[in-house]
Amino acid sequence: MSRFARVVPAVLVLALTAPACGTGGAQGTPGASGVRDPYFPKAGNGGYDVTHYDLTLAYTPASRHLTGRTVITARATQDLSAFNLDLKGLDVEKVTVDGGTARWNRTGQELTIRPRDDLAEGRTFRVTVRYSGTPVTITDPDGSEEGWLPTADGALALGQPTGSMAWFPGNHHPSDKATYDLAVTVPKGLRAVSNGESTSETTAGGRTTSTWRTTAPMASYLVTLAVGRYDITRSTTDDGLPVYTAVDPAETPASRAVLARIPDVLAWAEDLFGPYPFSSAGAIVERVGDAGYALETQSRPVFPGAPDIRLLVHELAHQWYGDSVSPRTWQDMWLNEGFATYAEWLWQEDHGGETAQQIFDDLYDHGEEAFDDLWAFPPAEPSGAAHISDDPVYQRAAMVLHKIRQTVGDAAFHKLIRGWATTHRHGTADTEDFTAYVEKKAPGKDFGRIWDDWLYGEGKPDRA
């Protein structure tokens, strides 16, 4: 994510009190209604792991009406008598589990489902939820908007950190990644653009249906859906990677030159970070004002207006750091934003701009002039949910990476960041994983002061 401007889990109460009917001897208990994220305790759910989402949607911009069917394939990680999905707003019409009608109730964002029979630990099951209504726009603790954002000719869905629950039910926490299929029907003349690969587009009866597939695991906050009129460009890199860009016509002239550099940026990034982790690339460019920030939606980042080259580098670097290697909790956001910000520094260093050392020194000496909260809290411990996207998580986090580079040297540092992306490819990781990885790869170096003063320390560290 990048901003153009500064912008005790709930107790599960079931109204359903019928005794559990065991399946194969299983005597289940309800899955947790949150995963104990330190900043968003209600996000996600316990008791199961999602492997695939299949979304069938229809949206009419004129009435802002959405109808949906979400089919979730999951595996029980405990004996389950009930489990929760995250869904904000929208009217649930029917829920089935493995084809059998399931009972359900709702409290806030929690959709609690009780299958006809308990689900034994290890069992793979399929949940189908039918729903409809007007999707909501969610205001984050920091005041930014996500979820379902109506636009002049359609809508834009953005999910960081919890907005995806505004348009489909699921296990909406980055610790549970899955693959996706989407089929989206909109009025003829509009397009529906999402992540991954476009597999078909058909028009009949005045409606156009587009299907999209993402075969690499994806955190739900990285799923996007853009509905509107777009100029579509399809191309390939020199290595044959498909590149698909969708640009609002009002932004096409300003976007053309910078989007043409996507192959160059990816080639540069592959040299540093390792092979590109997905099977396609691209971008979605909306009009200025349609969203308040850019977001690294997987394989196809979203920009509100034509990006400059540094913003493009930032969001494409996220494809490795944030999308392929995703944060295990929202406390680990610095692993996303620190790497993407440092990628901007490395790009400048490699393309005739200031060196990373010069940028670091300028930040240390004068950073408070540009970022008045630069030293407000440690990158690894944001001071609350409203601050997980503040400057320490971006700028000071990049300074942590530069301190590591100073400690191990350039060759070892480049090997380290490439190895980190490879080791956790398509997975999740937290701060403890990262510090342990760095220490393992540079056993003769002392990182204690970096961790204590730069990563976790309060206030402005000493330079040395």
Side-chain angles (χ1 to χ4, degrees):
M1 179 177 177
S2 183
R3 296 159 295 163
F4 286 141
R6 301 181 63 85
V7 273
V8 181
V11 175
L12 179 62
V13 179
L14 286 176
L16 309 169
T17 57
C21 298
T23 300
Q27 189 70 28
T29 56
S33 61
V35 295
R36 300 180 182 272
D37 186 276
Y39 296 98
F40 297 91
K42 292 184 179 180
N45 301 284
Y48 64 94
D49 173 63
V50 177
T51 57
H52 186 71
Y53 290 90
D54 190 337
L55 277 62
T56 303
L57 307 170
Y59 184 63
T60 303
S63 61
R64 297 187 179 179
H65 186 75
L66 177 76
T67 60
R69 183 193 69 185
T70 293
V71 181
I72 299 170
T73 304
R75 182 180 60 84
T77 57
Q78 67 178 68
D79 292 339
L80 282 173
S81 61
F83 59 91
N84 283 24
L85 301 175
D86 301 311
L87 182 64
K88 182 80 168 178
L90 299 171
D91 299 317
V92 175
E93 296 160 0
K94 186 177 181 180
V95 179
T96 63
V97 176
D98 288 337
T101 300
R103 292 183 290 175
W104 55 270
N105 70 293
R106 299 186 71 176
T107 303
Q109 71 183 53
E110 301 296 332
L111 171 61
T112 303
I113 298 169
R114 188 183 185 107
R116 182 179 301 168
D117 298 314
D118 287 5
L119 303 171
E121 180 179 359
R123 174 176 166 179
T124 295
F125 61 97
R126 183 171 293 180
V127 185
T128 301
V129 182
R130 295 181 181 273
Y131 55 97
S132 63
T134 301
V136 299
T137 298
I138 297 171
T139 300
D140 289 336
D142 68 359
S144 60
E145 293 186 332
E146 56 165 321
W148 195 266
L149 308 176
T151 62
D153 58 357
L156 175 64
L158 296 177
Q160 184 175 290
T162 62
S164 295
M165 67 180 176
W167 58 287
F168 68 97
N171 199 22
H172 291 301
H173 189 267
S175 59
D176 192 1
K177 303 171 76 168
T179 57
Y180 284 78
D181 280 293
L182 283 84
V184 187
T185 301
V186 296
K188 182 180 178 181
L190 302 182
R191 278 197 142 101
V193 181
S194 189
N195 314 79
E197 285 73 62
S198 171
T199 54
S200 70
E201 187 173 276
T202 58
T203 299
R207 308 278 284 177
T208 297
T209 299
S210 302
T211 60
W212 294 85
R213 174 165 293 169
T214 298
T215 56
M218 178 165 58
S220 66
Y221 82 91
L222 298 170
V223 184
T224 192
L225 176 60
V227 175
R229 293 179 176 85
Y230 298 101
D231 290 332
I232 305 297
T233 300
R234 295 177 176 86
S235 61
T236 58
T237 66
D238 289 344
D239 294 333
L241 180 74
V243 178
Y244 182 107
T245 62
V247 183
D248 187 288
E251 301 295 332
T252 297
S255 300
R256 188 175 290 114
V258 68
L259 295 184
R261 301 193 68 180
I262 290 175
D264 295 336
V265 174
L266 291 177
W268 169 83
E270 284 192 305
D271 285 342
L272 282 174
F273 309 142
Y276 180 71
F278 305 117
S279 53
S280 65
I284 299 169
V285 181
E286 292 282 351
R287 298 185 195 188
V288 174
D290 283 350
Y293 50 88
L295 186 63
E296 62 271 18
T297 44
Q298 188 161 306
S299 76
R300 192 153 294 110
V302 171
F303 301 96
D308 60 19
I309 188 63
R310 286 180 57 183
L311 184 57
L312 182 68
V313 168
H314 183 105
E315 302 305 339
L316 291 181
H318 270 310
Q319 304 306 306
W320 283 262
Y321 306 108
D323 293 11
S324 178
V325 185
S326 299
R328 191 161 295 144
T329 77
W330 288 112
Q331 185 171 344
D332 305 305
M333 270 281 283
W334 80 274
L335 288 170
N336 292 21
E337 302 303 345
F339 270 99
T341 301
Y342 199 67
E344 295 181 51
W345 298 13
L346 294 174
W347 175 270
Q348 292 176 79
E349 183 173 89
D350 290 346
H351 292 83
E354 290 184 307
T355 66
Q357 184 64 54
Q358 289 172 322
I359 297 170
F360 177 93
D361 290 340
D362 187 54
L363 259 180
Y364 189 87
D365 293 334
H366 308 290
E368 299 95 329
E369 299 169 17
F371 309 106
D372 58 10
D373 63 344
L374 181 61
W375 311 110
F377 57 80
E381 291 183 340
S383 53
H387 303 290
I388 63 169
S389 293
D390 282 4
D391 293 316
V393 177
Y394 289 70
Q395 306 301 329
R396 185 170 168 181
M399 297 176 87
V400 170
L401 295 177
H402 190 72
K403 294 297 291 185
I404 296 171
R405 179 182 175 185
Q406 287 178 324
T407 300
V408 302
D410 284 1
F413 179 74
H414 288 133
K415 186 176 181 181
L416 189 152
I417 60 174
R418 187 184 182 101
W420 173 251
T422 300
T423 299
H424 294 280
R425 183 180 174 95
H426 299 319
T428 63
D430 61 19
T431 300
E432 209 172 288
D433 293 327
F434 180 74
T435 56
Y437 180 85
V438 171
E439 291 171 356
K440 179 180 178 181
K441 294 301 178 181
K445 302 295 183 178
D446 182 5
F447 298 97
R449 188 171 173 275
I450 297 176
W451 306 151
D452 292 344
D453 296 351
W454 287 89
L455 186 57
Y456 286 104
E458 297 287 348
K460 185 175 182 178
D462 292 336
R463 186 192 296 268

